[in-house]
């Protein structure tokens, strides 16, 4: 071995696929209950929630952590089992 | 080159200053504290341009050194005993990330019961971390090995962090005349730290320490093993270059003190070496063919150099200031492995001495060597505990 092997990794886009692939539970917003406070949008660690006229979850990137459901003050987000 | 009266600890601080360290991150612990106190003083007076990071623990001290080294700074820290154990997890990160860092360790026994006195078990417990480990004999060597340590550690064929260890109080707090090289000499020996392929760069982001699957992990370990072996040459080259610039040969893997024609060779590390050399001189005058081989670098272990040194001896006495419970001293195990690997035929006796600062007199060393010479020692299977009170 001529060169020292460096334990470093360069970031590559999508090298492990979209974070949406990690999900086992899927957050689904019940818009009848939702008050549009956007707390879920603020808390989502993946920025996978868009703040439009209502919160919209991007399922390609939502990793299913459930933080949004936990933070929602009116329990408008249900975590549903993925198949 | 001015000769200054310095303790081992202050010699270490001068060495770090002369090496132009850029980051010092440390947490106080007896008997190490004086080193970083002195460095803090140098920084405060403006004599050393470095950042002193005051951390909340040894674990953080090493973490800060890792961060500093990762972005390209020359980093130094020091610790002892319990502090080193607390830092231990980060030692593996530093070596695994292939970061050049130098750390001074004032060897001290581990609790319980509490002890602040010397014992090599703290350093030796870090044997397999991937750090290069050197033991200094005296204050002069503390200074010389730290300066050389940066050059060895930063060599791009090595890229491993390096420990220089020395005995509590016997070396750390004892004032000796120390030849302190001029700054321009050290600058010539040790240029500014360079950037490597794995030095962090905001323009070209990457991360350290990702997951390595079984198909890759082993090669990283092999690379550390391989670099350790290469470090042997680098250590010798650095000692030779240091000698050329300072006029003092103070380095290299081992010290061969009258071993070449010796029938019996004592082997040890650290401050006991001075006493052993005095005893060897005395016994030589009486016609006893005894020599002393000092292991200066415990990692990489200098098997080849040691084998050459003890080639013609019949009896080997290994003095260990540590005990691996259920086995014997760590140094003795290495010596036995060397004897075995090189196919040598020797009687190897393990002697445990100085644990937790237990006093050893030259007379004790002399007695044991004479006994071995007269073949009056028990079978090597029986580990000798020097100056043990009751058994
Ligand atoms: S489950 Fe987690 S990742 Fe998905 S939208 Fe909620 S907070 Fe974001
Ligand atoms: S936190 Fe709940 S109520 Fe607030 S916007 Fe999100 S889903 Fe609606």
């Amino acid at each position: 071995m001529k060169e020292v092997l460096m334990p470093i990794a360069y970031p590559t886009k999508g090298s492990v696929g979209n974070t949406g692939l990690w999900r086992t539970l899927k957050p689904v917003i019940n818009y009848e209950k939702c008050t549009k406070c956007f707390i879920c949008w603020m808390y989502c660690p993946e920025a996978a929630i868009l703040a439009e006229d209502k919160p919209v979850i991007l399922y390609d990137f939502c990793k299913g952590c459930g933080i949004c459901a936990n933070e929602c003050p009116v329990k408008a987000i249900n975590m549903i089992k993925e198949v | 080159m001015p000769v200054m009266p310095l303790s081992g600890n202050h010699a270490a601080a001068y060495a770090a200053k002369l090496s132009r360290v850029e980051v010092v991150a440390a947490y106080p612990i007896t008997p190490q504290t004086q080193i970083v106190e002195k460095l803090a003083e140098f920084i405060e007076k403006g004599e050393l341009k470095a950042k002193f990071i005051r951390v909340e623990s040894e674990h953080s001290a090493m973490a800060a050194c890792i961060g500093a080294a990762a972005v390209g700074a020359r980093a130094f820290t020091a610790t002892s005993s319990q502090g080193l154990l607390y830092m231990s997890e980060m030692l593996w990160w530093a070596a695994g990330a292939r970061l050049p860092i130098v750390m001074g360790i004032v060897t001290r026994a581990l609790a319980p019961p509490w002890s602040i006195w010397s014992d090599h078990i703290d350093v030796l417990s870090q044997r397999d971390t991937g750090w290069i480990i050197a033991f200094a004999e005296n204050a002069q060597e503390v200074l010389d090995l730290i300066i050389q340590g940066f050059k060895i550690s930063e060599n791009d064929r090595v890229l491993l962090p390096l420990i220089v260890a020395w005995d509590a109080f016997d070396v750390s707090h004892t004032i000796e005349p120390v030849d302190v090289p001029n700054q321009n000499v050290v600058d010539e020996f040790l240029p500014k730290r360079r950037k490597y392929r794995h030095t962090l760069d905001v323009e070209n982001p990457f991360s350290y320490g990702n997951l390595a699957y079984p198909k890759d992990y082993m090669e990283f370990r092999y690379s550390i093993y391989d670099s350790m072996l290469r470090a042997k040459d680098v250590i010798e080259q650095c000692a030779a270059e240091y000698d050329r610039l300072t006029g003092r040969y103070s380095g290299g893997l081992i010290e061969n003190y009258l071993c070449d024609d010796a029938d019996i060779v004592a082997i040890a590390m650290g401050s006991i070496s001075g006493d052993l050399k005095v005893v060897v001189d005395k016994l030589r005058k009486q016609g006893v063919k005894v020599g002393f081989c000092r292991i200066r670098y415990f990692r990489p272990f200098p098997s080849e150099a040691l084998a050459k040194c003890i080639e013609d001896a019949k009896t080997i006495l290994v003095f260990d200031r540590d005990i691996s419970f259920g086995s014997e001293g760590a140094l003795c195990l290495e010596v036995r492995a060397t004897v075995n690997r090189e196919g040598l035929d020797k009687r190897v006796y393990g002697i445990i001495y100085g644990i937790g600062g237990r006093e050893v007199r030259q007379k004790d060393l002399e007695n044991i060597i004479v006994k071995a010479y007269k073949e009056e020692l028990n079978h090597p299977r029986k580990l000798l505990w020097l100056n043990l009170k009751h058994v």
Side-chain angles (χ1 to χ4, degrees):
Chain A
M1 211 176 256
K2 278 214 184 63
E3 272 206 41
V4 165
L5 207 54
M6 314 282 190
I8 55 174
Y10 290 90
T12 49
K13 207 171 166 184
S15 60
V16 286
N18 288 340
T19 38
L21 290 172
W22 304 359
R23 200 171 54 231
T24 53
L25 293 172
K26 177 180 181 176
V28 178
I29 301 175
N30 176 351
Y31 290 109
E32 274 166 26
K33 271 179 145 182
C34 172
T35 61
K36 303 186 178 64
C37 68
F38 292 101
I39 285 178
C40 55
W41 165 77
M42 199 159 68
Y43 272 91
C44 173
E46 293 300 328
I49 304 180
L50 294 183
E52 317 241 287
D53 56 334
K54 57 183 184 184
V56 176
I57 297 175
L58 301 174
Y59 290 109
D60 278 351
F61 303 107
C62 162
K63 63 185 178 187
C65 66
I67 289 175
C68 54
N70 201 51
E71 294 297 334
C72 172
V74 298
K75 299 276 162 263
I77 305 181
N78 295 313
M79 298 303 291
I80 316 245
K81 223 176 177 174
E82 297 266 3
V83 258
Chain B
M1 261 184 266
V3 174
M4 295 171 72
L6 293 177
S7 65
N9 282 353
H10 283 179
Y14 274 91
K17 174 172 171 264
L18 285 165
S19 304
R20 295 188 187 276
V21 296
E22 293 161 294
V23 172
V24 179
Y27 191 81
I29 186 168
T30 302
Q32 169 282 122
T33 311
Q34 297 171 328
I35 306 167
V36 292
E37 271 174 0
K38 193 75 187 165
L39 282 167
E41 191 184 310
F42 287 145
I43 294 169
E44 201 232 327
K45 284 190 190 155
E47 291 172 23
L48 170 63
K49 218 177 141 285
K51 175 90 182 156
F52 193 106
I53 305 177
R54 283 169 298 165
V55 285
E56 73 280 18
S57 74
E58 287 83 358
H59 191 274
S60 308
M62 185 48 64
C65 286
I66 289 171
V71 296
R74 188 170 282 157
F76 178 81
T77 186
T79 191
S80 289
S81 184
Q82 312 295 134
L84 177 62
L85 295 199
Y86 192 19
M87 185 189 271
S88 178
E89 186 197 3
M90 287 291 114
L91 263 67
W92 295 83
W93 279 94
R98 310 307 303 263
L99 296 170
I101 296 169
V102 172
M103 166 156 65
I105 294 182
V106 185
T107 61
R108 170 184 146 182
L110 296 168
W114 281 112
S115 166
I116 55 168
W117 291 274
S118 191
D119 195 308
H120 293 168
I121 197 65
D122 54 354
V123 181
L124 295 176
S125 75
Q126 305 303 305
R127 184 189 68 181
D128 303 332
T129 52
W131 282 62
I132 294 170
I133 301 174
F135 278 84
E137 177 185 355
N138 50 36
Q140 180 71 62
E141 216 177 60
V142 168
L143 180 133
D144 296 334
L145 292 185
I146 288 175
I147 296 170
Q148 291 176 41
F150 280 107
K151 197 175 172 92
I152 296 161
S153 176
E154 291 172 12
N155 184 298
D156 60 7
R157 300 173 65 229
V158 177
L159 285 173
L160 289 170
L162 184 146
I163 287 167
V164 178
W166 58 95
D167 286 279
F169 305 110
D170 301 339
V171 178
S172 71
H173 287 60
T174 305
I175 293 174
E176 300 174 58
V178 175
D179 201 336
V180 180
N182 290 328
Q183 185 68 59
N184 61 337
V185 172
V186 178
D187 286 346
E188 195 187 334
F189 177 74
L190 184 67
K192 239 180 109 55
R193 214 205 94 170
R194 48 167 289 224
K195 281 193 173 7
Y196 307 98
R197 191 162 58 83
H198 69 320
T199 304
L200 286 174
D201 174 6
V202 285
E203 300 301 328
N204 181 25
F206 59 80
S207 61
Y208 276 100
N210 286 50
L211 182 69
Y213 285 89
K215 79 177 188 11
D216 293 319
Y217 184 87
M218 203 161 158
E219 282 69 22
F220 287 104
R221 273 13 214 176
Y222 179 80
S223 178
I224 295 177
Y225 162 81
D226 195 43
S227 301
M228 261 297 177
L229 295 185
R230 283 199 295 236
K232 291 185 186 184
D233 285 342
V234 176
I235 287 165
E236 298 293 1
Q237 285 158 13
C238 283
E241 193 182 338
Y242 193 79
D243 181 13
R244 193 169 55 75
L245 290 170
T246 64
R248 182 170 54 255
Y249 186 82
S250 181
L253 294 163
I254 62 163
E255 179 186 359
N256 173 339
Y257 192 77
L258 305 176
C259 289
D260 294 344
D261 67 336
D263 291 331
I264 172 162
V265 170
I267 299 177
M269 306 190 286
S271 66
I272 198 182
S273 309
D275 291 314
L276 277 165
K277 283 184 256 184
V278 171
V279 170
V280 165
D281 286 345
K282 186 177 167 195
L283 291 174
R284 279 271 173 181
K285 280 201 195 108
Q286 298 167 12
V288 180
K289 282 166 99 186
V290 55
F292 169 59
C293 175
R294 177 156 67 97
I295 304 298
R296 207 185 264 109
Y297 284 81
F298 184 75
R299 280 291 177 274
F301 193 78
S303 287
E304 302 84 353
L306 173 65
K308 228 186 227 142
C309 207
I310 60 175
E311 213 169 7
D312 299 319
K314 292 186 211 60
T315 306
I316 311 293
L317 299 177
V318 188
F319 291 85
D320 259 286
R321 200 169 198 166
D322 63 277
I323 172 71
S324 174
F325 303 121
S327 185
E328 54 188 331
L331 180 57
C332 191
L333 289 170
E334 294 290 341
V335 173
R336 286 194 201 286
T338 297
V339 165
N340 181 292
R341 213 167 22 233
E342 306 290 329
L344 306 174
D345 179 25
K346 317 274 166 212
R347 265 177 108 74
V348 180
Y349 292 92
I351 299 145
I352 307 294
Y353 78 96
I355 295 284
R358 174 62 50 88
E359 193 181 20
V360 183
R361 295 157 304 167
Q362 287 174 1
K363 194 76 201 154
D364 303 323
L365 302 172
E366 190 185 325
N367 284 346
I368 217 157
I369 293 172
V370 170
K371 259 193 179 170
Y373 198 68
K374 293 186 183 156
E375 301 188 356
E376 285 170 7
L377 290 180
N378 282 332
H379 191 274
R381 207 180 289 128
K382 176 123 175 70
L383 187 61
L384 289 154
W385 285 68
L386 201 59
N387 296 346
L388 189 69
K389 274 187 298 199
H390 45 76
V391 263

